[in-house]
DNA sequence: GTCTATATGGCGATAGAC
DNA sequence: GTCTATCGCCATATAGAC
């Protein structure tokens, strides 16, 4: 790990990596310390306890994901462009941060109380951007079918994200090799976009 | 836990519950023993080690899920019926076994090597049933659009399953209460079915 | 087969020198 | 601030009586 940057920063990066890989219970303070090129004692000097370190990493991770997913969509994009950018954005984000997103969901299920409190202060509206509002307008204008904005968004995210998250299970269920599965994932963006457009557009191109 | 059934069976049930709740690292042999109304020593008498018990539970869980998901679809169902039954089946299954499915995915990511070996002997073809073949036929006959059977299946599963699995994250991202979110989930089945039909059918009703 | 008691090892956390 | 050495605890696993 790059020793030019400060110890505290190195520890955070190492901790995120180790927590994501092993989960909270599986993570070892020793491995985090080693990975940050620092002794276990120094680690405790900076962050009093494992739980404290855990909380800090979760907060950091979540806000960075929110920042990352910030809408790339502008007001004057057509509905086709909006949907295209959404699919591209979600696929790219979850491809890049699959392990983190996964870790997040897992720990949310195991330590729901702790994490509710951690995330209470974070602004989550950027997560969905102004997308829901945009869908609502299109629905009113009649350019798309009569569907709840939330349901449309969930459909888009689900098709985009599910195969990425469920890869280890899907690969086996479908009997696909590593290469075959990557190939399948790589080709999905336009397929999902066309699928959504075919379902929601009133006037097909 | 019901003490009329054999100790071994009681332990398996208790182990599955505890592993699903806490994950492998978070699970305690003491909790499994308590939950099975048996001493920790007896637990080790039946299953030599924690890892051994873990492997047995994973094998049992996975094959029971496969059995459960076995196609409810018959040859002479219309394509509309097929899609309807698929959505209903996946939603019901993942609603009932959300924690287990989740646990599964998580451990698959953390201990991929171990689990590959465990599942090598299991028949996974029931997981997708004859669905892919059916989609291929409909595509050739031209009743549905030109889409890879695998992609269509992933789209259906993704929309059905994603919001159930991602509940803890989605609830916060969308700022919905427990009640609001359940309500949303409860209403989704027909929405997803109609969405899929709108996207794939050549001749709309 | 089932138990209590104990061995063994690893982990988070701390003491205290430098 | 950083380290080595060590404490104290708890979890898996075993020994051995019943």
């Amino acid at each position: 790990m790059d020793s030019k940057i400060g110890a505290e920063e190195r520890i955070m990066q190492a901790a995120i990596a180790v927590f994501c890989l092993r989960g909270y219970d599986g993570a070892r303070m020793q491995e985090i310390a080693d990975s940050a090129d620092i002794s276990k004692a120094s680690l405790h000097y900076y962050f009093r306890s494992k739980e404290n370190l855990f909380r800090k990493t979760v907060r950091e991770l979540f806000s960075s994901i929110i920042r990352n997913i910030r809408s790339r969509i502008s007001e004057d994009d057509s509905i086709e462009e909006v949907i295209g950018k959404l699919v591209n954005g979600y696929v790219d984000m979850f491809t890049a941060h699959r392990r983190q997103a996964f870790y997040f969901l897992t720990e949310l299920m195991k330590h729901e109380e702790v994490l509710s409190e951690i995330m209470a202060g974070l602004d989550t509206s950027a997560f969905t951007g102004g997308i829901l509002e945009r869908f609502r307008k299109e629905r009113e204008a009649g350019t798309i079918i009569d569907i709840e904005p939330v349901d449309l968004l969930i459909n888009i995210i689900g098709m985009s994200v599910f195969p990425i998250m469920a890869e280890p299970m899907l690969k086996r269920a479908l009997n696909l090799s590593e290469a075959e599965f990557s190939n399948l994932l790589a080709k999905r963006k336009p397929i999902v976009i066309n699928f959504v457009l075919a379902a929601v557009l009133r006037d097909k191109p």
Side-chain angles (χ1 to χ4, degrees), chain A:
Chain A
M1 191 132 302
D2 190 351
S3 57
K4 283 174 198 164
I5 58 178
E8 201 152 347
E9 180 59 25
R10 285 203 322 274
I11 294 173
M12 280 295 286
Q13 289 182 17
I16 287 176
V18 173
F19 279 133
C20 287
L21 187 61
R22 315 260 184 228
Y24 178 75
D25 295 308
R28 297 291 156 242
M29 294 299 265
Q30 188 64 63
E31 184 175 359
I32 295 173
D34 290 347
S35 173
D37 269 325
I38 210 168
S39 76
K40 212 172 43 163
S42 296
L43 204 169
H44 276 88
Y45 169 79
Y46 283 101
F47 302 84
R48 285 204 336 277
S49 68
K50 183 180 183 180
E51 184 178 331
N52 189 43
L53 178 57
F54 171 69
R55 292 184 182 229
K56 291 243 166 76
T57 61
V58 169
R59 192 175 265 130
E60 166 61 25
L61 238 185
F62 199 71
S63 61
S64 91
I65 286 179
I66 287 178
R67 258 179 275 132
N68 187 301
I69 212 171
R70 169 161 306 152
S71 175
R72 323 169 182 198
I73 289 145
S74 68
E75 287 280 339
D76 44 84
D77 282 338
S78 70
I79 184 68
E80 287 92 342
E81 285 171 319
V82 169
I83 288 169
K85 288 183 178 181
L86 270 179
V87 172
N88 279 299
Y90 278 107
V91 168
D92 289 344
M93 203 200 71
F94 276 82
T95 302
H97 301 284
R98 185 174 78 119
R99 217 170 253 290
Q100 288 87 334
F102 219 91
Y103 162 69
F104 227 79
L105 277 176
T106 310
E107 299 301 333
L108 269 170
M109 294 200 77
K110 284 200 290 191
H111 311 107
E112 195 146 6
E113 344 65 52
V114 180
L115 295 197
S116 293
E117 168 204 333
I118 294 176
M119 298 199 296
L122 294 171
D123 172 35
T124 55
S125 68
F127 203 59
T128 52
I131 309 298
L132 294 178
E133 182 57 20
R134 176 65 191 266
F135 285 165
R136 199 187 54 71
K137 278 182 190 151
E138 299 285 343
R139 180 195 194 186
E140 265 179 19
T143 48
I144 65 171
I145 57 167
D146 187 30
I147 186 173
E148 285 290 331
V150 166
D151 283 307
L152 176 51
L153 183 62
I154 289 178
N155 286 354
I156 292 172
I157 304 180
M159 285 188 280
S160 302
V161 165
F162 171 75
I164 301 169
M165 301 279 279
E167 170 173 343
M169 193 181 258
L170 268 182
K171 220 161 46 187
R172 288 179 179 76
L174 299 171
N175 266 320
L176 297 178
S177 71
E178 200 81 37
E180 287 168 327
F181 195 84
S182 311
N183 191 255
L184 184 148
L185 280 187
K187 286 183 179 160
R188 272 186 61 82
K189 276 182 184 176
I191 291 171
V192 171
I193 294 171
N194 289 331
F195 192 92
V196 175
L197 292 178
V200 300
L201 286 189
R202 275 256 142 80
D203 304 308
K204 317 288 167 172

